[in-house]
Short mmCIF file of all heavy atoms in Angstrom, two decimals:
data_model
loop_
_atom_site.label_atom_id
_atom_site.label_comp_id
_atom_site.label_asym_id
_atom_site.label_seq_id
_atom_site.Cartn_x
_atom_site.Cartn_y
_atom_site.Cartn_z
N SER A 324 0.84 -1.19 0.00
CA SER A 324 0.00 0.00 0.00
C SER A 324 0.88 1.24 0.00
O SER A 324 1.65 1.46 0.94
CB SER A 324 -0.89 -0.02 1.24
OG SER A 324 -1.69 1.11 1.32
N PRO A 325 0.79 2.06 -1.04
CA PRO A 325 1.63 3.26 -1.10
C PRO A 325 1.14 4.31 -0.09
O PRO A 325 -0.02 4.31 0.30
CB PRO A 325 1.45 3.75 -2.53
CG PRO A 325 0.11 3.24 -2.93
CD PRO A 325 -0.08 1.94 -2.20
N PRO A 326 2.03 5.19 0.30
CA PRO A 326 1.61 6.23 1.24
C PRO A 326 0.81 7.32 0.56
O PRO A 326 0.99 7.61 -0.62
CB PRO A 326 2.95 6.79 1.74
CG PRO A 326 3.89 6.55 0.62
CD PRO A 326 3.44 5.27 -0.04
N SER A 327 -0.10 7.88 1.31
CA SER A 327 -0.79 9.09 0.86
C SER A 327 -0.94 10.01 2.06
O SER A 327 -0.98 9.57 3.20
CB SER A 327 -2.16 8.77 0.25
OG SER A 327 -3.06 8.31 1.23
N CYS A 328 -0.98 11.29 1.77
CA CYS A 328 -1.01 12.30 2.82
C CYS A 328 -2.12 13.30 2.54
O CYS A 328 -2.65 13.38 1.44
CB CYS A 328 0.31 13.08 2.85
SG CYS A 328 1.75 12.05 3.03
N SER A 329 -2.41 14.08 3.56
CA SER A 329 -3.28 15.25 3.37
C SER A 329 -2.60 16.43 4.07
O SER A 329 -1.80 16.26 4.98
CB SER A 329 -4.67 15.01 3.94
OG SER A 329 -4.63 14.92 5.35
N CYS A 330 -2.93 17.59 3.61
CA CYS A 330 -2.37 18.80 4.19
C CYS A 330 -3.12 19.12 5.48
O CYS A 330 -4.36 19.19 5.49
CB CYS A 330 -2.48 19.96 3.21
SG CYS A 330 -1.86 21.51 3.89
N SER A 331 -2.38 19.30 6.56
CA SER A 331 -3.00 19.63 7.84
C SER A 331 -3.54 21.06 7.88
O SER A 331 -4.36 21.38 8.74
CB SER A 331 -2.00 19.43 8.98
OG SER A 331 -1.63 18.08 9.07
N GLU A 332 -3.10 21.89 6.98
CA GLU A 332 -3.53 23.30 6.97
C GLU A 332 -4.79 23.51 6.13
O GLU A 332 -5.77 24.05 6.61
CB GLU A 332 -2.41 24.20 6.45
CG GLU A 332 -1.12 24.12 7.24
CD GLU A 332 -1.30 24.54 8.69
OE1 GLU A 332 -2.05 25.49 8.96
OE2 GLU A 332 -0.67 23.90 9.55
N CYS A 333 -4.78 23.04 4.88
CA CYS A 333 -5.92 23.32 3.99
C CYS A 333 -6.78 22.09 3.73
O CYS A 333 -7.85 22.19 3.13
CB CYS A 333 -5.45 23.92 2.68
SG CYS A 333 -4.59 22.75 1.58
N GLY A 334 -6.30 20.90 4.14
CA GLY A 334 -7.10 19.69 3.98
C GLY A 334 -6.97 19.00 2.63
O GLY A 334 -7.64 18.00 2.39
N MET A 335 -6.14 19.53 1.74
CA MET A 335 -5.99 18.90 0.44
C MET A 335 -5.51 17.46 0.62
O MET A 335 -4.56 17.20 1.34
CB MET A 335 -5.01 19.67 -0.44
CG MET A 335 -4.87 19.10 -1.83
SD MET A 335 -3.83 20.17 -2.85
CE MET A 335 -3.96 19.32 -4.39
N GLY A 336 -6.19 16.52 -0.01
CA GLY A 336 -5.85 15.11 0.11
C GLY A 336 -5.19 14.57 -1.14
O GLY A 336 -5.01 15.27 -2.13
N GLY A 337 -4.83 13.28 -1.08
CA GLY A 337 -4.24 12.61 -2.22
C GLY A 337 -2.82 13.03 -2.51
O GLY A 337 -2.33 12.86 -3.62
N LEU A 338 -2.14 13.56 -1.49
CA LEU A 338 -0.78 14.02 -1.68
C LEU A 338 0.21 12.91 -1.33
O LEU A 338 -0.13 11.95 -0.65
CB LEU A 338 -0.49 15.22 -0.77
CG LEU A 338 -1.39 16.44 -0.95
CD1 LEU A 338 -1.09 17.48 0.12
CD2 LEU A 338 -1.22 17.04 -2.34
N THR A 339 1.42 13.06 -1.81
CA THR A 339 2.53 12.20 -1.39
C THR A 339 3.59 13.11 -0.79
O THR A 339 3.51 14.34 -0.91
CB THR A 339 3.13 11.42 -2.58
OG1 THR A 339 3.72 12.35 -3.48
CG2 THR A 339 2.09 10.59 -3.30
N PHE A 340 4.57 12.49 -0.15
CA PHE A 340 5.63 13.31 0.43
C PHE A 340 6.44 14.01 -0.65
O PHE A 340 7.18 14.95 -0.36
CB PHE A 340 6.53 12.47 1.33
CG PHE A 340 5.87 12.13 2.63
CD1 PHE A 340 5.68 10.81 3.00
CD2 PHE A 340 5.44 13.12 3.49
CE1 PHE A 340 5.08 10.50 4.20
CE2 PHE A 340 4.83 12.83 4.70
CZ PHE A 340 4.65 11.51 5.05
N ASP A 341 6.30 13.57 -1.89
CA ASP A 341 6.95 14.26 -3.00
C ASP A 341 6.31 15.62 -3.26
O ASP A 341 6.88 16.46 -3.94
CB ASP A 341 6.88 13.42 -4.27
CG ASP A 341 7.62 12.11 -4.15
OD1 ASP A 341 8.55 12.02 -3.32
OD2 ASP A 341 7.26 11.17 -4.88
N ALA A 342 5.10 15.82 -2.72
CA ALA A 342 4.35 17.05 -2.98
C ALA A 342 4.64 18.14 -1.96
O ALA A 342 3.89 19.10 -1.85
CB ALA A 342 2.85 16.74 -2.98
N ILE A 343 5.70 18.00 -1.18
CA ILE A 343 6.03 19.02 -0.19
C ILE A 343 6.69 20.19 -0.90
O ILE A 343 7.61 19.98 -1.68
CB ILE A 343 6.97 18.45 0.90
CG1 ILE A 343 6.26 17.36 1.66
CG2 ILE A 343 7.45 19.54 1.84
CD1 ILE A 343 7.11 16.64 2.68
N PRO A 344 6.28 21.39 -0.68
CA PRO A 344 5.16 21.81 0.14
C PRO A 344 3.82 21.55 -0.57
O PRO A 344 3.78 21.25 -1.75
CB PRO A 344 5.40 23.30 0.32
CG PRO A 344 6.09 23.73 -0.92
CD PRO A 344 6.95 22.53 -1.31
N CYS A 345 2.74 21.69 0.20
CA CYS A 345 1.40 21.49 -0.36
C CYS A 345 1.21 22.39 -1.57
O CYS A 345 1.49 23.59 -1.51
CB CYS A 345 0.34 21.80 0.70
SG CYS A 345 -1.36 21.80 0.07
N PRO A 346 0.77 21.82 -2.70
CA PRO A 346 0.61 22.64 -3.90
C PRO A 346 -0.51 23.67 -3.79
O PRO A 346 -0.51 24.65 -4.52
CB PRO A 346 0.30 21.61 -5.00
CG PRO A 346 -0.06 20.36 -4.31
CD PRO A 346 0.51 20.41 -2.94
N ARG A 347 -1.43 23.48 -2.86
CA ARG A 347 -2.54 24.43 -2.72
C ARG A 347 -2.17 25.62 -1.81
O ARG A 347 -2.41 26.76 -2.15
CB ARG A 347 -3.77 23.74 -2.16
CG ARG A 347 -4.95 24.70 -2.02
CD ARG A 347 -6.16 24.09 -1.34
NE ARG A 347 -6.78 23.10 -2.21
CZ ARG A 347 -7.61 22.16 -1.77
NH1 ARG A 347 -7.90 22.06 -0.50
NH2 ARG A 347 -8.14 21.31 -2.62
N CYS A 348 -1.58 25.32 -0.62
CA CYS A 348 -1.37 26.41 0.34
C CYS A 348 0.09 26.64 0.71
O CYS A 348 0.41 27.60 1.41
CB CYS A 348 -2.18 26.16 1.62
SG CYS A 348 -1.54 24.81 2.64
N GLY A 349 1.00 25.75 0.26
CA GLY A 349 2.41 25.94 0.53
C GLY A 349 2.87 25.42 1.89
O GLY A 349 4.04 25.57 2.25
N SER A 350 1.98 24.78 2.65
CA SER A 350 2.34 24.27 3.98
C SER A 350 3.26 23.05 3.87
O SER A 350 3.15 22.25 2.94
CB SER A 350 1.08 23.88 4.74
OG SER A 350 1.40 23.23 5.95
N PHE A 351 4.12 22.91 4.85
CA PHE A 351 4.98 21.72 4.95
C PHE A 351 4.39 20.72 5.94
O PHE A 351 5.01 19.71 6.24
CB PHE A 351 6.38 22.13 5.40
CG PHE A 351 7.17 22.80 4.32
CD1 PHE A 351 7.05 24.16 4.09
CD2 PHE A 351 8.01 22.07 3.50
CE1 PHE A 351 7.76 24.79 3.09
CE2 PHE A 351 8.72 22.68 2.48
CZ PHE A 351 8.60 24.05 2.27
N ASN A 352 3.23 21.00 6.46
CA ASN A 352 2.61 20.19 7.51
C ASN A 352 1.66 19.17 6.89
O ASN A 352 0.45 19.40 6.78
CB ASN A 352 1.87 21.12 8.48
CG ASN A 352 1.44 20.41 9.74
OD1 ASN A 352 1.77 19.25 9.95
ND2 ASN A 352 0.69 21.10 10.57
N LEU A 353 2.23 18.02 6.47
CA LEU A 353 1.42 16.96 5.88
C LEU A 353 1.20 15.85 6.89
O LEU A 353 2.04 15.58 7.74
CB LEU A 353 2.11 16.39 4.64
CG LEU A 353 2.38 17.35 3.49
CD1 LEU A 353 3.00 16.60 2.31
CD2 LEU A 353 1.13 18.08 3.06
N ARG A 354 0.03 15.22 6.81
CA ARG A 354 -0.34 14.15 7.72
C ARG A 354 -0.49 12.86 6.91
O ARG A 354 -1.20 12.82 5.90
CB ARG A 354 -1.66 14.50 8.40
CG ARG A 354 -2.14 13.49 9.40
CD ARG A 354 -3.35 14.02 10.17
NE ARG A 354 -4.30 14.74 9.34
CZ ARG A 354 -5.46 14.24 8.90
NH1 ARG A 354 -5.82 13.04 9.21
NH2 ARG A 354 -6.26 14.97 8.17
N LEU A 355 0.18 11.79 7.37
CA LEU A 355 0.13 10.50 6.70
C LEU A 355 -1.26 9.89 6.89
O LEU A 355 -1.75 9.76 8.01
CB LEU A 355 1.20 9.56 7.26
CG LEU A 355 1.42 8.25 6.55
CD1 LEU A 355 1.92 8.47 5.13
CD2 LEU A 355 2.41 7.39 7.32
N ILE A 356 -1.92 9.53 5.79
CA ILE A 356 -3.25 8.94 5.83
C ILE A 356 -3.16 7.42 5.64
O ILE A 356 -3.75 6.66 6.39
CB ILE A 356 -4.17 9.54 4.73
CG1 ILE A 356 -4.27 11.05 4.90
CG2 ILE A 356 -5.54 8.88 4.75
CD1 ILE A 356 -4.90 11.51 6.19
N THR A 357 -2.45 7.00 4.61
CA THR A 357 -2.23 5.57 4.38
C THR A 357 -0.74 5.31 4.23
O THR A 357 0.02 6.21 3.89
CB THR A 357 -2.95 5.07 3.11
OG1 THR A 357 -2.41 5.75 1.97
CG2 THR A 357 -4.45 5.29 3.17
N GLY A 358 -0.36 4.09 4.49
CA GLY A 358 1.04 3.71 4.35
C GLY A 358 1.57 2.97 5.57
O GLY A 358 2.64 2.40 5.53
N ARG A 359 0.79 2.97 6.67
CA ARG A 359 1.22 2.27 7.88
C ARG A 359 0.39 1.03 8.16
O ARG A 359 0.62 0.34 9.14
CB ARG A 359 1.11 3.20 9.09
CG ARG A 359 2.25 4.16 9.19
CD ARG A 359 2.16 4.94 10.47
NE ARG A 359 1.79 6.29 10.08
CZ ARG A 359 1.09 7.13 10.79
NH1 ARG A 359 0.65 6.79 11.96
NH2 ARG A 359 0.83 8.32 10.35
N GLU A 360 -0.58 0.74 7.31
CA GLU A 360 -1.52 -0.33 7.60
C GLU A 360 -0.92 -1.72 7.40
O GLU A 360 0.04 -1.92 6.67
CB GLU A 360 -2.80 -0.21 6.76
CG GLU A 360 -2.59 -0.19 5.27
CD GLU A 360 -2.21 1.17 4.74
OE1 GLU A 360 -2.37 2.20 5.40
OE2 GLU A 360 -1.72 1.18 3.61
N LEU A 361 -1.51 -2.66 8.11
CA LEU A 361 -1.24 -4.08 7.94
C LEU A 361 -2.60 -4.73 8.12
O LEU A 361 -3.10 -4.86 9.24
CB LEU A 361 -0.24 -4.59 8.97
CG LEU A 361 -0.03 -6.10 9.03
CD1 LEU A 361 0.34 -6.67 7.67
CD2 LEU A 361 1.03 -6.45 10.05
N GLU A 362 -3.24 -5.07 7.01
CA GLU A 362 -4.62 -5.54 7.03
C GLU A 362 -4.77 -6.85 6.27
O GLU A 362 -4.12 -7.04 5.24
CB GLU A 362 -5.56 -4.51 6.40
CG GLU A 362 -5.56 -3.19 7.13
CD GLU A 362 -6.39 -2.14 6.41
OE1 GLU A 362 -6.46 -2.16 5.17
OE2 GLU A 362 -6.94 -1.29 7.12
N ILE A 363 -5.62 -7.69 6.79
CA ILE A 363 -6.00 -8.90 6.08
C ILE A 363 -7.09 -8.49 5.10
O ILE A 363 -8.15 -8.02 5.50
CB ILE A 363 -6.52 -9.99 7.03
CG1 ILE A 363 -5.44 -10.35 8.05
CG2 ILE A 363 -6.97 -11.22 6.24
CD1 ILE A 363 -5.94 -11.22 9.20
N GLU A 364 -6.81 -8.62 3.84
CA GLU A 364 -7.78 -8.23 2.80
C GLU A 364 -8.78 -9.34 2.54
O GLU A 364 -9.97 -9.08 2.43
CB GLU A 364 -7.04 -7.88 1.50
CG GLU A 364 -6.37 -6.55 1.53
CD GLU A 364 -7.37 -5.41 1.60
OE1 GLU A 364 -8.31 -5.37 0.80
OE2 GLU A 364 -7.20 -4.57 2.49
N SER A 365 -8.30 -10.58 2.38
CA SER A 365 -9.21 -11.68 2.11
C SER A 365 -8.56 -13.00 2.49
O SER A 365 -7.35 -13.10 2.61
CB SER A 365 -9.63 -11.70 0.62
OG SER A 365 -8.50 -11.92 -0.20
N VAL A 366 -9.43 -13.97 2.68
CA VAL A 366 -9.02 -15.33 3.00
C VAL A 366 -9.81 -16.25 2.08
O VAL A 366 -11.03 -16.16 2.03
CB VAL A 366 -9.32 -15.68 4.48
CG1 VAL A 366 -9.01 -17.12 4.78
CG2 VAL A 366 -8.56 -14.76 5.41
N GLU A 367 -9.12 -17.10 1.34
CA GLU A 367 -9.79 -18.03 0.44
C GLU A 367 -9.75 -19.43 1.06
O GLU A 367 -8.69 -19.91 1.48
CB GLU A 367 -9.09 -18.04 -0.92
CG GLU A 367 -9.82 -18.84 -1.96
CD GLU A 367 -9.16 -18.71 -3.32
OE1 GLU A 367 -8.79 -17.58 -3.70
OE2 GLU A 367 -9.01 -19.75 -3.98
N LEU A 368 -10.91 -20.06 1.11
CA LEU A 368 -11.04 -21.37 1.72
C LEU A 368 -11.18 -22.45 0.67
O LEU A 368 -11.67 -22.19 -0.43
CB LEU A 368 -12.25 -21.42 2.64
CG LEU A 368 -12.31 -20.39 3.76
CD1 LEU A 368 -13.61 -20.52 4.53
CD2 LEU A 368 -11.11 -20.51 4.66
N ASP A 369 -10.78 -23.65 1.02
CA ASP A 369 -10.95 -24.82 0.17
C ASP A 369 -12.31 -25.42 0.50
O ASP A 369 -12.41 -26.36 1.28
CB ASP A 369 -9.83 -25.83 0.42
CG ASP A 369 -9.89 -27.01 -0.52
OD1 ASP A 369 -10.57 -26.92 -1.56
OD2 ASP A 369 -9.24 -28.03 -0.22
N GLU A 370 -13.35 -24.82 -0.05
CA GLU A 370 -14.73 -25.24 0.18
C GLU A 370 -15.52 -25.03 -1.10
O GLU A 370 -15.08 -24.35 -2.01
CB GLU A 370 -15.39 -24.38 1.27
CG GLU A 370 -14.85 -24.55 2.64
CD GLU A 370 -15.66 -23.72 3.63
OE1 GLU A 370 -16.09 -22.61 3.30
OE2 GLU A 370 -15.86 -24.22 4.73
N GLU A 371 -16.71 -25.54 -1.09
CA GLU A 371 -17.62 -25.29 -2.21
C GLU A 371 -18.21 -23.89 -2.11
O GLU A 371 -18.65 -23.33 -3.10
CB GLU A 371 -18.74 -26.33 -2.21
CG GLU A 371 -18.26 -27.74 -2.49
CD GLU A 371 -17.64 -27.86 -3.87
OE1 GLU A 371 -18.13 -27.27 -4.84
OE2 GLU A 371 -16.62 -28.57 -3.96
#
């Protein structure tokens, strides 16, 4: 899962750390939204 961030100042989402500063407001204050997760997505069983 790739990381994504949002700007803590203006709320712009869908950013990456490559987008520093925020393209909308120029803030350097980005908040990590995804990129730290460890989730079970699915389990496939040997059943009918």
